[in-house]
Amino acid sequence: MSSKPDLNIGLIGSGFMGKAHVFGYATAQKTFDLPFNLVFHTAADISDQAATRAAAGFGFAHATADWRDMVTNPAIDVVSITAPNALHKEMALAAIAASKHVYCEKPLAPLAVDAREMAEAAETAGVKTQVGFNYLCNPMLQLAREMIEGGELGEIRGYRGLHAEDYMADASGPYTFRHDPAGGGALADIGSHALATAEFLLGPIAEVMGDLATLIPTRPDGYGGTKLIEVDDVARAFLRFENGATGSIEGNWIATGRKMQHDFEVYGSKGALSFSQERLNELHFYDTADAKGRQGFRRIEAAPEHPPYGNFCVAPGHQIGFNDLKAIEVAGFLEAVAGRGPEPFNFRSGLRIQTLVETIQSSSAQRVWKTVAT
Ligand code: NAD
């Protein structure tokens, strides 16, 4: 029997991210010295059948087709929201009103004004929050940030970031919640990850010039007809950072052949970094101090020296995976819930990403550079 207090988890949605949250909680419990004993209390989904299947498969004690019943249940301590984007706000506000801590998938809300309402509600209620920007939890990104902040790259001059996949490249693929103008678009869906990583590494983005495009204008609606697509398939933005560096990001869900190209390059006066999420245990470092004729990007492999890699594996180079990033995210969030640390990426941070997304969208629509509100 654990002497730690129980923390009862409620999960909304049991698709791709619902499973990732369950992996995250389960792995975090075994990998970190968490302040709680995690209890998989209730799984909620859109129907009794889906909820019951999720509860049985993931090990939850209860199932419900009404997420409202779950979030108002006094037994629940933490609510994980992994439902479609347009539902995040209503679900999160209901959970916050019931004094639950909330772990919500990105994008926090379709509109910055909604994200602001959510952040302010959480702060007023005094509950802890987390948004699912899991790529930031990679020990290799932490290392990159330390190297930048520690001056190993010298003066930072340039940044190139992108998040490209091809899950929307097939034009015969149906309309999904990701195409809903009230919560979709490649920039909001995955460009948001590229923006989060850019600011994680280089600090605040001051100005943007966006270019959004819809390349597949209609899709099957699933009922024999077609539906007009109003959101972007590809989004690019030029960036000017507060620290003087310039750069760009791209969010692209029709990048044929790309499955998880969450990549970046950072260029400094003394060195450079290169990273690809498709090889997430490697960071490549170019050092201008290397002898001429011996220069080149060297590969640094994830190792116990890059916390918290060592919590997963004692041996270097054996690698961690996508779901392990979720476990790191969970561990940081629960430290904050216990009052033992700051919230790693709370609703206020999620609002910041929505602000960037909207500024790029309006820059693209008006074809002008825009200053990002602080
Ligand atoms: P999904 O379609 O696989 O799962 C969505 C789940 O929500 C399904 O189980 C569905 O039945 C359920 N659902 C829908 N309406 C509901 C309702 N009214 N009540 C209860 N449950 C409902 O989608 P997904 O890929 O898991 O995406 C879910 C969220 O996760 C999105 O916001 C998406 O942006 C985010 N996401 C994040 C990452 C990441 O890396 N952080 C990756 C993929 C998706």
Coordinates of all heavy atoms in Angstrom, one line a residue, residues 148-233:
I148 N 22.0 27.2 -25.4 CA 21.8 28.6 -25.9 C 22.0 29.6 -24.8 O 22.7 30.6 -24.9 CB 20.4 28.6 -26.5 CG1 20.3 27.8 -27.8 CG2 20.0 30.1 -26.8 CD1 18.9 27.5 -28.3
E149 N 21.3 29.3 -23.6 CA 21.4 30.2 -22.5 C 22.8 30.3 -21.9 O 23.2 31.4 -21.4 CB 20.4 29.8 -21.4 CG 18.9 30.1 -21.8 CD 17.9 29.7 -20.8 OE1 18.2 29.0 -19.8 OE2 16.7 29.9 -21.1
G150 N 23.5 29.2 -22.0 CA 24.9 29.2 -21.4 C 25.9 29.8 -22.3 O 27.1 29.9 -22.0
G151 N 25.5 30.3 -23.5 CA 26.4 31.0 -24.4 C 27.2 30.1 -25.3 O 28.1 30.6 -26.0
E152 N 27.0 28.8 -25.3 CA 27.8 27.9 -26.1 C 27.7 28.1 -27.6 O 28.5 27.8 -28.4 CB 27.4 26.4 -25.8 CG 27.9 26.0 -24.4 CD 27.5 24.5 -24.1 OE1 27.9 23.6 -24.9 OE2 26.7 24.3 -23.2
L153 N 26.6 28.8 -28.0 CA 26.4 29.1 -29.4 C 26.7 30.6 -29.7 O 26.6 31.0 -30.9 CB 24.9 28.9 -29.9 CG 24.6 27.5 -30.3 CD1 24.7 26.5 -29.2 CD2 23.1 27.4 -30.8
G154 N 27.2 31.3 -28.7 CA 27.5 32.7 -28.9 C 26.2 33.5 -29.0 O 25.2 33.2 -28.5
E155 N 26.3 34.6 -29.8 CA 25.2 35.4 -30.1 C 24.2 34.7 -31.0 O 24.6 34.2 -32.1 CB 25.7 36.7 -30.7 CG 24.6 37.7 -31.1 CD 25.1 38.7 -32.1 OE1 26.3 38.9 -32.2 OE2 24.2 39.3 -32.8
I156 N 23.0 34.6 -30.6 CA 22.0 33.9 -31.4 C 21.5 34.8 -32.5 O 20.9 35.9 -32.3 CB 20.8 33.4 -30.5 CG1 21.3 32.5 -29.4 CG2 19.8 32.6 -31.4 CD1 22.1 31.3 -29.9
R157 N 21.6 34.3 -33.8 CA 21.2 35.2 -34.9 C 20.0 34.6 -35.7 O 19.3 35.4 -36.3 CB 22.4 35.2 -35.9 CG 23.6 35.9 -35.3 CD 24.8 35.6 -36.1 NE 26.0 36.4 -35.7 CZ 27.3 36.0 -36.1 NH1 27.4 35.0 -36.9 NH2 28.3 36.7 -35.7
G158 N 19.9 33.3 -35.7 CA 18.8 32.8 -36.6 C 18.1 31.6 -36.1 O 18.7 30.8 -35.3
Y159 N 16.9 31.4 -36.5 CA 16.1 30.2 -36.1 C 15.2 29.7 -37.3 O 14.6 30.5 -38.0 CB 15.2 30.6 -34.9 CG 14.4 29.5 -34.4 CD1 14.9 28.6 -33.5 CD2 13.1 29.2 -34.9 CE1 14.2 27.5 -33.0 CE2 12.4 28.1 -34.4 CZ 13.0 27.3 -33.4 OH 12.3 26.2 -33.0
R160 N 15.2 28.4 -37.5 CA 14.3 27.8 -38.4 C 13.6 26.7 -37.7 O 14.2 25.8 -37.2 CB 15.0 27.3 -39.6 CG 15.6 28.4 -40.5 CD 15.9 27.9 -41.9 NE 17.1 27.0 -41.9 CZ 17.5 26.3 -42.9 NH1 16.8 26.3 -44.0 NH2 18.6 25.6 -42.8
G161 N 12.2 26.8 -37.7 CA 11.5 25.7 -37.0 C 10.3 25.2 -37.9 O 9.8 26.0 -38.7
L162 N 9.9 24.0 -37.8 CA 8.8 23.5 -38.5 C 8.1 22.3 -37.8 O 8.8 21.6 -37.0 CB 9.1 23.2 -40.0 CG 9.7 21.9 -40.4 CD1 9.5 21.6 -41.8 CD2 11.2 22.0 -40.1
H163 N 6.9 22.2 -38.1 CA 6.2 21.0 -37.7 C 5.4 20.5 -38.9 O 4.4 21.1 -39.3 CB 5.3 21.2 -36.5 CG 4.8 19.9 -35.9 ND1 5.0 19.5 -34.6 CD2 4.1 18.9 -36.5 CE1 4.5 18.3 -34.4 NE2 3.9 17.9 -35.5
A164 N 5.9 19.5 -39.6 CA 5.3 19.0 -40.8 C 4.9 17.5 -40.7 O 5.7 16.7 -40.2 CB 6.2 19.2 -42.0
E165 N 3.7 17.2 -41.1 CA 3.2 15.8 -41.2 C 2.4 15.7 -42.5 O 2.1 16.7 -43.2 CB 2.4 15.4 -40.0 CG 3.1 15.6 -38.6 CD 2.3 15.1 -37.4 OE1 1.6 14.1 -37.6 OE2 2.4 15.7 -36.4
D166 N 1.9 14.5 -42.8 CA 1.2 14.3 -44.0 C -0.2 13.7 -43.8 O -0.8 13.2 -44.8 CB 2.0 13.6 -45.1 CG 2.2 12.1 -44.7 OD1 1.8 11.7 -43.6 OD2 2.8 11.4 -45.5
Y167 N -0.7 13.8 -42.6 CA -2.0 13.1 -42.3 C -3.2 13.8 -43.0 O -4.3 13.2 -43.1 CB -2.3 13.0 -40.8 CG -2.2 14.3 -40.0 CD1 -3.4 15.1 -39.9 CD2 -1.0 14.8 -39.5 CE1 -3.3 16.3 -39.2 CE2 -1.0 15.9 -38.8 CZ -2.1 16.7 -38.6 OH -2.0 17.9 -37.9
M168 N -3.0 14.9 -43.7 CA -4.1 15.6 -44.5 C -3.7 15.6 -45.9 O -4.4 16.3 -46.7 CB -4.4 17.0 -44.0 CG -4.9 17.1 -42.5 SD -6.5 16.3 -42.4 CE -6.8 16.7 -40.6
A169 N -2.6 15.0 -46.3 CA -2.2 15.1 -47.7 C -3.1 14.4 -48.7 O -3.1 14.8 -49.9 CB -0.7 14.5 -47.8
D170 N -3.8 13.4 -48.3 CA -4.8 12.8 -49.2 C -6.0 13.6 -49.4 O -6.8 13.7 -48.4 CB -5.1 11.4 -48.6 CG -6.1 10.6 -49.5 OD1 -6.5 11.1 -50.5 OD2 -6.4 9.4 -49.2
A171 N -6.2 14.2 -50.6 CA -7.4 15.1 -50.8 C -8.7 14.3 -50.7 O -9.8 15.0 -50.5 CB -7.3 15.7 -52.2
S172 N -8.7 13.0 -50.7 CA -10.0 12.3 -50.6 C -10.3 11.9 -49.1 O -11.3 11.4 -48.8 CB -9.9 10.9 -51.4 OG -9.0 10.1 -50.8
G173 N -9.4 12.3 -48.2 CA -9.6 12.2 -46.8 C -10.8 13.0 -46.3 O -10.9 14.2 -46.8
P174 N -11.6 12.6 -45.4 CA -12.8 13.3 -45.0 C -12.5 14.5 -44.2 O -11.5 14.6 -43.5 CB -13.6 12.2 -44.3 CG -12.6 11.3 -43.7 CD -11.4 11.3 -44.7
Y175 N -13.5 15.4 -44.1 CA -13.6 16.5 -43.2 C -13.6 16.0 -41.8 O -14.3 15.0 -41.5 CB -14.9 17.2 -43.5 CG -15.1 18.5 -42.7 CD1 -14.7 19.7 -43.2 CD2 -15.7 18.5 -41.4 CE1 -14.9 20.9 -42.5 CE2 -15.9 19.7 -40.7 CZ -15.5 20.9 -41.2 OH -15.7 22.0 -40.5
T176 N -12.7 16.6 -40.9 CA -12.7 16.1 -39.5 C -12.8 17.4 -38.6 O -12.8 18.5 -39.1 CB -11.3 15.5 -39.2 OG1 -10.3 16.5 -39.2 CG2 -10.9 14.4 -40.2
F177 N -12.7 17.1 -37.3 CA -12.8 18.2 -36.3 C -11.6 19.2 -36.5 O -11.7 20.3 -36.2 CB -12.9 17.7 -34.9 CG -11.6 17.2 -34.3 CD1 -10.6 18.1 -33.8 CD2 -11.4 15.8 -34.1 CE1 -9.5 17.6 -33.2 CE2 -10.3 15.3 -33.5 CZ -9.3 16.2 -33.1
R178 N -10.5 18.7 -37.1 CA -9.4 19.5 -37.3 C -9.6 20.6 -38.4 O -8.9 21.5 -38.5 CB -8.1 18.7 -37.6 CG -7.6 17.9 -36.4 CD -6.4 17.1 -36.7 NE -5.7 16.7 -35.5 CZ -6.1 15.5 -34.8 NH1 -7.0 14.8 -35.3 NH2 -5.4 15.2 -33.7
H179 N -10.7 20.3 -39.3 CA -11.0 21.3 -40.3 C -12.1 22.3 -39.8 O -12.4 23.2 -40.6 CB -11.5 20.6 -41.6 CG -10.5 19.6 -42.2 ND1 -10.6 18.3 -42.0 CD2 -9.4 19.9 -42.9 CE1 -9.6 17.7 -42.6 NE2 -8.9 18.7 -43.2
D180 N -12.6 22.1 -38.6 CA -13.6 23.0 -38.1 C -13.1 24.4 -38.0 O -12.1 24.6 -37.2 CB -14.1 22.4 -36.8 CG -15.2 23.2 -36.2 OD1 -15.5 24.3 -36.7 OD2 -15.8 22.7 -35.2
P181 N -13.6 25.4 -38.6 CA -13.1 26.8 -38.5 C -13.1 27.2 -37.1 O -12.3 28.1 -36.7 CB -14.0 27.6 -39.4 CG -14.8 26.7 -40.2 CD -14.8 25.3 -39.5
A182 N -13.9 26.6 -36.2 CA -14.0 27.0 -34.8 C -12.9 26.2 -34.0 O -13.0 26.1 -32.8 CB -15.4 26.6 -34.3
G183 N -11.9 25.8 -34.7 CA -10.8 25.1 -33.9 C -9.8 24.4 -34.7 O -9.0 23.7 -34.1
G184 N -9.7 24.7 -36.0 CA -8.8 23.9 -36.8 C -7.8 24.7 -37.5 O -7.5 25.9 -37.2
G185 N -7.2 24.1 -38.5 CA -6.1 24.7 -39.3 C -4.8 24.1 -38.9 O -4.5 23.8 -37.7
A186 N -3.9 24.0 -39.9 CA -2.5 23.5 -39.7 C -1.8 24.3 -38.7 O -1.0 23.8 -37.9 CB -1.8 23.3 -41.0
L187 N -1.9 25.7 -38.8 CA -1.2 26.5 -37.9 C -1.6 26.3 -36.4 O -0.7 26.1 -35.5 CB -1.4 28.0 -38.2 CG -0.7 29.0 -37.3 CD1 0.8 28.8 -37.4 CD2 -1.1 30.4 -37.7
A188 N -2.9 26.3 -36.2 CA -3.4 26.0 -34.8 C -3.1 24.6 -34.3 O -2.7 24.4 -33.2 CB -4.9 26.3 -34.7
D189 N -3.2 23.6 -35.2 CA -3.0 22.2 -34.9 C -1.6 21.9 -34.6 O -1.3 21.3 -33.5 CB -3.6 21.3 -36.0 CG -3.8 19.9 -35.5 OD1 -4.1 19.7 -34.3 OD2 -3.7 19.0 -36.3
I190 N -0.7 22.1 -35.6 CA 0.7 21.7 -35.4 C 1.7 22.8 -35.5 O 2.8 22.8 -34.9 CB 1.1 20.6 -36.3 CG1 0.7 20.9 -37.8 CG2 0.4 19.3 -35.9 CD1 1.1 19.8 -38.8
G191 N 1.3 23.9 -36.2 CA 2.2 25.1 -36.2 C 2.4 25.6 -34.8 O 3.4 26.2 -34.4
S192 N 1.3 25.4 -33.9 CA 1.4 25.8 -32.5 C 2.6 25.1 -31.8 O 3.2 25.7 -31.0 CB 0.1 25.5 -31.8 OG -0.3 24.1 -32.0
H193 N 2.8 23.9 -32.1 CA 4.0 23.2 -31.5 C 5.3 23.9 -32.0 O 6.2 24.0 -31.2 CB 4.1 21.7 -32.0 CG 3.1 20.8 -31.3 ND1 3.0 20.6 -29.9 CD2 2.1 20.0 -31.8 CE1 2.1 19.8 -29.6 NE2 1.5 19.4 -30.7
A194 N 5.4 24.2 -33.3 CA 6.6 24.9 -33.7 C 6.8 26.3 -33.0 O 7.9 26.6 -32.7 CB 6.5 25.1 -35.3
L195 N 5.7 27.0 -32.8 CA 5.8 28.2 -32.1 C 6.2 28.0 -30.6 O 7.0 28.8 -30.1 CB 4.4 29.0 -32.1 CG 4.1 29.5 -33.5 CD1 2.6 29.8 -33.6 CD2 4.9 30.7 -33.9
A196 N 5.7 27.0 -30.0 CA 6.0 26.8 -28.6 C 7.5 26.5 -28.5 O 8.2 27.0 -27.6 CB 5.2 25.6 -28.0
T197 N 8.0 25.7 -29.4 CA 9.5 25.3 -29.4 C 10.3 26.5 -29.7 O 11.4 26.8 -29.0 CB 9.7 24.2 -30.4 OG1 9.0 23.0 -29.9 CG2 11.2 23.8 -30.4
A198 N 9.9 27.4 -30.6 CA 10.7 28.6 -30.9 C 10.8 29.5 -29.7 O 12.0 29.9 -29.4 CB 10.0 29.3 -32.1
E199 N 9.7 29.7 -29.0 CA 9.8 30.6 -27.8 C 10.5 29.9 -26.7 O 11.2 30.5 -25.9 CB 8.4 31.1 -27.4 CG 7.9 32.2 -28.4 CD 7.0 33.2 -27.7 OE1 6.3 32.8 -26.8 OE2 6.9 34.3 -28.2
F200 N 10.4 28.6 -26.5 CA 11.1 27.8 -25.5 C 12.6 28.0 -25.6 O 13.3 28.1 -24.7 CB 10.7 26.3 -25.6 CG 11.3 25.4 -24.6 CD1 10.9 25.3 -23.3 CD2 12.4 24.6 -25.0 CE1 11.5 24.5 -22.4 CE2 13.1 23.8 -24.1 CZ 12.6 23.7 -22.8
L201 N 13.0 28.0 -26.9 CA 14.5 28.1 -27.1 C 15.0 29.5 -27.2 O 16.1 29.8 -26.7 CB 14.8 27.3 -28.4 CG 14.6 25.8 -28.4 CD1 14.8 25.3 -29.8 CD2 15.5 25.1 -27.4
L202 N 14.3 30.4 -27.8 CA 14.9 31.7 -28.1 C 14.2 32.9 -27.3 O 14.7 34.0 -27.4 CB 14.8 32.1 -29.6 CG 16.1 31.7 -30.4 CD1 16.4 30.2 -30.5 CD2 16.1 32.3 -31.8
G203 N 13.1 32.6 -26.6 CA 12.4 33.6 -25.9 C 11.4 34.3 -26.8 O 11.1 33.8 -27.9
P204 N 10.8 35.4 -26.3 CA 9.6 35.9 -27.0 C 9.8 36.3 -28.4 O 10.8 36.9 -28.8 CB 9.3 37.1 -26.1 CG 10.0 36.9 -24.8 CD 11.2 36.1 -25.1
I205 N 8.8 36.0 -29.2 CA 8.7 36.5 -30.6 C 8.0 37.9 -30.6 O 6.9 38.0 -30.0 CB 7.9 35.5 -31.5 CG1 8.6 34.2 -31.5 CG2 7.6 36.1 -32.9 CD1 7.7 33.0 -32.0
A206 N 8.6 38.9 -31.2 CA 8.1 40.2 -31.1 C 7.2 40.6 -32.3 O 6.2 41.2 -32.1 CB 9.3 41.2 -31.0
E207 N 7.6 40.1 -33.5 CA 6.9 40.5 -34.7 C 6.8 39.3 -35.6 O 7.7 38.4 -35.7 CB 7.6 41.6 -35.4 CG 7.5 42.9 -34.7 CD 8.4 43.9 -35.5 OE1 9.6 44.0 -35.3 OE2 7.8 44.6 -36.4
V208 N 5.7 39.2 -36.4 CA 5.5 38.1 -37.3 C 4.9 38.6 -38.7 O 4.2 39.6 -38.7 CB 4.4 37.1 -36.7 CG1 5.0 36.4 -35.5 CG2 3.1 37.7 -36.5
M209 N 5.2 37.8 -39.7 CA 4.6 38.1 -41.0 C 4.2 36.7 -41.5 O 5.0 35.8 -41.8 CB 5.7 38.7 -42.0 CG 5.2 38.8 -43.4 SD 4.0 40.1 -43.7 CE 3.0 39.3 -44.9
G210 N 2.9 36.5 -41.5 CA 2.3 35.2 -41.8 C 1.9 35.0 -43.3 O 1.6 35.9 -44.0
D211 N 1.9 33.7 -43.7 CA 1.4 33.3 -45.0 C 0.7 32.0 -44.9 O 1.3 31.0 -44.8 CB 2.5 33.3 -46.0 CG 2.1 32.8 -47.4 OD1 0.9 33.2 -47.7 OD2 2.8 32.2 -48.1
L212 N -0.7 32.0 -44.9 CA -1.5 30.8 -44.7 C -2.1 30.5 -46.1 O -2.5 31.4 -46.8 CB -2.6 31.0 -43.7 CG -2.2 30.8 -42.2 CD1 -1.1 31.7 -41.8 CD2 -3.4 31.0 -41.3
A213 N -2.2 29.2 -46.4 CA -2.8 28.8 -47.6 C -3.6 27.5 -47.5 O -3.2 26.6 -46.7 CB -1.7 28.5 -48.7
T214 N -4.7 27.5 -48.2 CA -5.6 26.2 -48.2 C -5.3 25.6 -49.6 O -5.7 26.2 -50.6 CB -7.1 26.6 -48.1 OG1 -7.2 27.3 -46.9 CG2 -7.9 25.3 -48.0
L215 N -4.7 24.5 -49.7 CA -4.4 23.8 -50.9 C -5.4 22.8 -51.4 O -5.4 22.4 -52.5 CB -3.0 23.2 -50.8 CG -1.7 24.1 -51.0 CD1 -1.8 24.8 -52.3 CD2 -1.6 25.1 -49.8
I216 N -6.2 22.3 -50.4 CA -7.2 21.3 -50.7 C -8.5 21.9 -50.4 O -8.9 21.9 -49.2 CB -6.9 19.9 -50.0 CG1 -5.6 19.4 -50.4 CG2 -8.1 18.9 -50.3 CD1 -5.2 18.1 -49.6
P217 N -9.2 22.5 -51.3 CA -10.3 23.4 -51.0 C -11.6 22.8 -50.6 O -12.5 23.4 -49.9 CB -10.5 24.2 -52.3 CG -9.9 23.4 -53.4 CD -8.9 22.5 -52.8
T218 N -11.8 21.5 -50.9 CA -13.0 20.8 -50.5 C -12.6 19.4 -50.1 O -11.6 18.8 -50.5 CB -14.1 20.6 -51.6 OG1 -13.5 19.9 -52.7 CG2 -14.6 22.0 -52.1
R219 N -13.4 18.8 -49.2 CA -13.2 17.4 -48.8 C -14.6 16.7 -48.7 O -15.6 17.3 -48.4 CB -12.5 17.3 -47.4 CG -11.1 17.7 -47.4 CD -10.4 17.6 -46.1 NE -9.0 17.9 -46.2 CZ -8.0 17.1 -46.5 NH1 -8.3 15.8 -46.7 NH2 -6.8 17.5 -46.6
P220 N -14.6 15.3 -48.8 CA -15.8 14.6 -48.6 C -16.4 14.8 -47.2 O -15.6 14.9 -46.2 CB -15.4 13.1 -48.7 CG -14.1 13.2 -49.5 CD -13.4 14.5 -49.1
D221 N -17.7 15.0 -47.1 CA -18.3 15.3 -45.8 C -18.6 14.1 -45.0 O -19.1 14.2 -43.9 CB -19.5 16.3 -45.9 CG -20.6 15.6 -46.7 OD1 -20.5 14.4 -47.0 OD2 -21.6 16.3 -46.9
G222 N -18.4 12.9 -45.6 CA -18.7 11.7 -44.9 C -20.2 11.2 -45.2 O -20.6 10.1 -44.7
Y223 N -21.0 12.0 -45.9 CA -22.4 11.7 -46.1 C -22.7 11.7 -47.6 O -23.8 11.9 -48.0 CB -23.3 12.7 -45.4 CG -23.1 12.7 -43.9 CD1 -22.3 13.8 -43.4 CD2 -23.6 11.8 -43.0 CE1 -22.0 13.8 -42.0 CE2 -23.3 11.8 -41.7 CZ -22.6 12.8 -41.2 OH -22.3 12.9 -39.8
G224 N -21.7 11.6 -48.4 CA -21.8 11.6 -49.9 C -21.7 12.9 -50.6 O -21.7 13.0 -51.8
G225 N -21.5 14.0 -49.8 CA -21.3 15.3 -50.4 C -19.9 15.8 -50.1 O -19.0 15.0 -49.7
T226 N -19.7 17.1 -50.4 CA -18.4 17.7 -50.1 C -18.6 18.9 -49.2 O -19.7 19.5 -49.1 CB -17.7 18.2 -51.4 OG1 -18.6 19.1 -52.1 CG2 -17.4 17.0 -52.3
K227 N -17.5 19.2 -48.6 CA -17.6 20.4 -47.6 C -16.4 21.3 -48.0 O -15.3 20.8 -48.2 CB -17.4 19.8 -46.2 CG -18.2 20.6 -45.2 CD -18.3 19.8 -43.9 CE -18.6 20.7 -42.7 NZ -19.8 21.5 -42.7
L228 N -16.7 22.6 -47.9 CA -15.7 23.6 -48.2 C -14.7 23.7 -47.1 O -15.1 23.6 -45.9 CB -16.4 24.9 -48.4 CG -15.6 26.1 -49.0 CD1 -15.3 25.7 -50.5 CD2 -16.4 27.4 -48.9
I229 N -13.4 23.7 -47.4 CA -12.4 23.8 -46.3 C -12.0 25.3 -46.2 O -11.6 26.0 -47.1 CB -11.2 23.0 -46.7 CG1 -11.5 21.5 -46.8 CG2 -10.1 23.2 -45.6 CD1 -12.1 20.9 -45.5
E230 N -12.2 25.8 -45.0 CA -11.9 27.2 -44.7 C -10.6 27.5 -43.9 O -10.2 28.6 -43.7 CB -13.1 27.9 -43.9 CG -14.4 27.8 -44.7 CD -15.6 28.3 -43.8 OE1 -15.5 29.4 -43.3 OE2 -16.5 27.5 -43.6
V231 N -10.0 26.4 -43.5 CA -8.8 26.6 -42.7 C -7.5 26.3 -43.5 O -7.6 25.6 -44.6 CB -8.8 25.7 -41.4 CG1 -10.0 26.0 -40.5 CG2 -8.8 24.2 -41.8
D232 N -6.4 26.7 -43.0 CA -5.1 26.5 -43.7 C -4.6 25.1 -43.7 O -4.7 24.4 -42.7 CB -4.1 27.5 -43.1 CG -4.0 27.3 -41.6 OD1 -5.0 27.6 -40.9 OD2 -2.9 26.8 -41.1
D233 N -4.0 24.7 -44.8 CA -3.3 23.4 -44.9 C -1.8 23.6 -44.6 O -1.1 22.7 -44.1 CB -3.4 22.8 -46.3 CG -4.8 22.3 -46.6 OD1 -5.4 21.6 -45.7 OD2 -5.3 22.6 -47.7

